[in-house]
Amino acid sequence: HPQPSQHADREVQARPRVSSIIQIKRLNLEIACVNSRTSIIVAGETPAVRELMGALKKEKVGALLLPVSTAFHCRMLHSMAQ
């Protein structure tokens, strides 16, 4: 197990790393909400989310797929409402 300070550092680095992976892999995803330094919501189509999750797993960053019918936090939904 990592020391507590190492674990905290990894959590703090999660958001920039997620953004970097999205850009490098050119995934059609967006960071839709930052709930806290350890909880980030990413919105997009399921295959892209799964690809991001695979990349995060390789880097030992935890991720959980939330089965929802609509990505309420994302720009895609806002553009549909207009």
Side-chain angles (χ1 to χ4, degrees):
H1 279 305
Q3 297 297 321
S5 62
Q6 292 172 331
H7 184 66
D9 289 344
R10 189 170 64 229
E11 291 168 348
V12 169
Q13 295 300 318
R15 180 178 178 192
R17 189 64 196 132
V18 168
S19 295
S20 177
I21 293 170
I22 290 171
Q23 289 176 353
I24 290 168
K25 293 186 168 282
R26 297 178 186 236
L27 298 173
N28 188 21
L29 297 173
E30 66 178 285
I31 294 178
C33 184
V34 178
N35 293 322
S36 71
R37 66 187 179 108
T38 61
S39 177
I40 302 166
I41 306 295
V42 177
E45 293 186 10
T46 302
V49 173
R50 289 189 187 280
E51 187 173 344
L52 173 64
M53 290 175 67
L56 292 171
K57 184 176 180 179
K58 288 179 184 176
E59 297 189 18
K60 299 185 184 342
V61 175
L64 175 67
L65 182 65
L66 301 175
V68 297
S69 61
T70 306
F72 291 104
H73 293 82
C74 75
R75 289 184 300 231
M76 292 181 343
L77 184 64
H78 294 292
S79 65
M80 289 172 35
Q82 295 176 351

